[in-house]
Amino acid sequence: MSSDLVDIAGQSAKGSFTLFVGDAVSAIVLALGSMLIARFLGPEGYGVYSLALATPAIFISLIGLGVDSAVVRFLAKFRSEGKPGYSLSLMKTALTFRFITGLATWLVCFLSSDILAMYLLNRPEASFYIKLSSFLILFQAFFNILYNISVGLDRYDIGTTIKICMSIVKSSLAPLLVFIGLGVAGAVIGHILGFAVAVVVSVLTIYLGPYRNLRKVMANNEGCEGSFFEDLNMMIGYGLPLYISSLILLLADQYRLILLAHNVSNFEIGNFQAAGNFATLLVVLSTPIATALFPAFSKLDPASSEIKRAFQYSVKYTGMLIAPAAFFTIIMSGILVEIVYGHGYSAAPVFLSLYTVVFLYSVFGSIVLDSFFNGIGETRINLKATMIYIFSFIPLSVVLTYFYSVVGLITSILVSSILKVLYGLFTAERKLRTSIDINNSMRILIASGVAALSILPFSFNQLMPNYVSLLIGGILYLIVYMTMLPIVKALQKTDIDILRNLFQSQGILKPVAELLVKYESNLIEKITAQRESKKNSK
């Protein structure tokens, strides 16, 4: 790779790792909190809790208008161009806009709670919980915009801090309030307070840090500021296709719960949500990568060969990380669910194994495609891909959920997701002459699959405690997977050179990366030597 591409890749890797730390710690803490909430409430109570939070989530998705994504892009752009005044005005505009829309949306949700409980959730008794959870609209909406401001300012540490703060407060208070007798209401209140505290912390951190620094730079350079309506028009103009796309996907997520509410029991909904909590751990791996790749692709010329290589490498290394994690989750789903939730969530392992298949699509670019098209400014392509997903998902989900319950719903998600990925790949090839290496993708799947088969006995083992099976199985899986990568030629010498350059300045990540790279390098040398020896003997 060229030096520029290596620099961009290094920055992306560093940003991804910082965000990953925050997401990982936050996810672990939230998972522990969710485990306690689920145990204290039971499957039925946990189902009601999930439905109560679904309503404000729908309203939160309505007030973005693409401003969150636009904040990331334009803050980074203005800062790189030396325009602190525009950065400051952009932040003020985004926060003001979010306050106005959030307040109006909260009022609508609060006043219409009876109607929403009756017709949206099919549960009139949930009206009180909707009123209570409506306050989440104000705090989570602010949390989202503040997090994106921190990313746009390249202050990934702030984003990491507020995520961890939110998860700790929520996972501490929500189970406690349930335990002392507040039930579902206590869980909802704890959830809201987690976001409220995180908003206060993020406002103080951004104001005392990057905001003041920008003010000083502006004073020294006498920079100018944009007006409220100019900034708003610019952000909405860029972000509207992304907003429509994300809105459709978010509404589709809530539509899933509504569809389940009309077709299955609270017990099955609780099991589906429990399975979804585990899937969130895989999102922890993929989201930081996608977030960091967004500005990385923005720095490259869409017509250059560099961006094509960056796309291929991104798909390959992302798949190399996500696919094995997905296979491991599929094989060990029964043990994972039993450790965390106990025997009561008997249907969750099947739901988890089936749903996790969607993360195997990462080897075909499912995680990279959105960031790629957004980075080069082709946001309309992502919108079209989303429309393909939704127009296939809705009819499939109605039919399959009716006949096959939760399994049918998950199947419709898998089919619709692969159609979306195929459209993205087709468009990238047709319009930009950019494609993935399908051979590499299949090799990664083979290496992951072989590693998964090696730990299959542990998933059925009844002699060892679950924790021991999980630990030994995890170590064995990693060894077999790392060994299989060079054997099936998914990892080659050029990859070793790229990875070594990529992680040479990654601080705490460097020693671990060096250890793994050294192991792979030695293995590749031995395999190459053996192949050469066989060739010469012939």
Side-chain angles (χ1 to χ4, degrees), residues 505-524:
S505 60
Q506 298 304 321
I508 192 174
L509 192 61
K510 182 180 178 181
V512 178
E514 278 292 336
L515 182 65
L516 296 176
V517 168
K518 186 176 181 181
Y519 174 77
E520 297 290 358
S521 180
N522 291 336
L523 194 57
I524 288 174

Side-chain angles (χ1 to χ4, degrees), residues 266-429:
N266 288 340
F267 174 81
E268 289 177 289
I269 293 175
N271 275 270
F272 177 70
Q273 288 300 108
N277 290 339
F278 277 108
T280 301
L281 297 178
L282 292 172
V283 176
V284 167
L285 287 175
S286 60
T287 300
I289 297 171
T291 302
L293 286 175
F294 182 6
F297 284 125
S298 300
K299 299 173 185 176
L300 296 170
D301 181 3
S304 69
S305 61
E306 292 293 323
I307 200 165
K308 297 176 183 178
R309 297 178 67 191
F311 176 73
Q312 288 189 339
Y313 285 129
S314 298
V315 171
K316 180 176 182 178
Y317 298 139
T318 300
M320 204 174 286
L321 181 65
I322 304 300
F327 263 115
F328 182 80
T329 303
I330 290 170
I331 296 297
M332 305 297 280
S333 60
I335 290 178
L336 290 168
V337 171
E338 191 169 326
I339 288 175
V340 176
Y341 293 109
H343 297 288
Y345 289 80
S346 56
V350 175
F351 298 162
L352 175 60
S353 293
L354 186 58
Y355 185 77
T356 304
V357 172
V358 76
F359 291 95
L360 297 179
Y361 300 166
S362 60
V363 299
F364 305 115
S366 63
I367 294 170
V368 176
L369 281 167
D370 285 354
S371 296
F372 174 69
F373 289 128
N374 290 343
I376 63 175
E378 295 285 352
T379 55
R380 293 182 181 275
I381 294 177
N382 278 334
L383 176 58
K384 292 177 182 177
T386 300
M387 298 306 295
I388 288 175
Y389 171 86
I390 205 67
F391 283 133
S392 58
F393 171 69
I394 289 179
L396 278 173
S397 62
V398 171
V399 175
L400 294 179
T401 303
Y402 178 79
F403 285 105
Y404 302 105
S405 190
V406 176
V407 171
L409 176 67
I410 297 174
T411 302
S412 66
I413 293 171
L414 297 179
V415 174
S416 303
S417 297
I418 196 63
L419 291 176
K420 179 176 182 283
V421 171
L422 290 174
Y423 170 77
L425 292 176
F426 171 77
T427 305
E429 170 66 28

Side-chain angles (χ1 to χ4, degrees), residues 338 457-466 469:
E338 191 169 326
F458 290 96
S459 65
F460 298 109
N461 177 68
Q462 299 295 323
L463 301 177
M464 290 187 296
N466 286 331
S469 295

